[in-house]
Amino acid sequence: MTASPRARELVNVAALAADSKQAEDLVALDVSGPLPLTDVFLIATGRNERNVVAIAGEIEDKMLEAGAKTLRREGRAEGRWILLDFGDVIVHVFHEDDRMYYSLERLWKDCPTITLNVASAAESVETEPATEAAE
């Protein structure tokens, strides 16, 4: 079994939202095989507690705009590991220390990854070569 097309669409919405708040190391895992309750995990990292909360808030806003309501939310007060449950998609936003400690990618290493359609702002900005003024 693989993730539904709707789950794949929503994980990209969440990934774009996370990227817009400078989330790092975005990873999407298709967990539909071992977990009958959800299709996709999105894992993201924030640099500090404030960034973690901002990333989670932006994801909730954009997912709501896409028609996905937050079913459950955990960890927002601490800002170290925020879990957002949207049904088909579960988002984990970690502080970098907690992400290394819990290492969800290692726990779910047998699950296939999903390619995300995210180009961070730094990668998408194209600069034109400087031209020297003619004398």
Side-chain angles (χ1 to χ4, degrees), residues 1-4 7 29-32 35 37-41 87-89:
M1 186 170 191
T2 61
S4 69
L29 300 172
D30 183 339
V31 295
S32 60
L35 286 179
L37 304 173
T38 192
D39 284 353
V40 179
F41 278 177
D88 290 342
V89 176

Side-chain angles (χ1 to χ4, degrees), residues 69-98:
K69 184 178 175 187
T70 306
L71 303 176
R72 284 178 236 15
R73 176 187 314 109
E74 299 287 335
R76 192 174 193 99
E78 296 83 17
R80 303 287 300 180
W81 175 5
I82 299 177
L83 183 142
L84 303 170
D85 182 353
F86 298 97
D88 290 342
V89 176
I90 295 179
V91 180
H92 302 270
V93 185
F94 283 101
H95 184 282
E96 55 194 347
D97 296 336
D98 292 279

Side-chain angles (χ1 to χ4, degrees), residues 8-114:
R8 289 176 177 273
E9 174 190 337
L10 289 175
V11 77
N12 275 299
V13 169
L16 286 168
D19 185 62
S20 75
K21 293 295 180 181
Q22 288 77 46
E24 300 173 352
D25 301 324
L26 294 167
V27 175
L29 300 172
D30 183 339
V31 295
S32 60
L35 286 179
L37 304 173
T38 192
D39 284 353
V40 179
F41 278 177
L42 175 65
I43 305 168
T45 302
R47 294 177 309 277
N48 54 52
E49 289 87 353
R50 189 176 200 171
N51 187 222
V52 169
V53 171
I55 292 166
E58 184 70 6
I59 291 170
E60 282 192 278
D61 292 346
K62 296 302 182 187
M63 292 290 274
L64 188 58
E65 288 176 17
K69 184 178 175 187
T70 306
L71 303 176
R72 284 178 236 15
R73 176 187 314 109
E74 299 287 335
R76 192 174 193 99
E78 296 83 17
R80 303 287 300 180
W81 175 5
I82 299 177
L83 183 142
L84 303 170
D85 182 353
F86 298 97
D88 290 342
V89 176
I90 295 179
V91 180
H92 302 270
V93 185
F94 283 101
H95 184 282
E96 55 194 347
D97 296 336
D98 292 279
R99 180 158 179 184
M100 288 178 18
Y101 179 79
Y102 290 105
S103 189
L104 289 187
E105 294 96 329
R106 184 181 49 80
L107 292 174
W108 297 99
K109 67 181 178 208
D110 294 335
C111 295
T113 59
I114 296 173

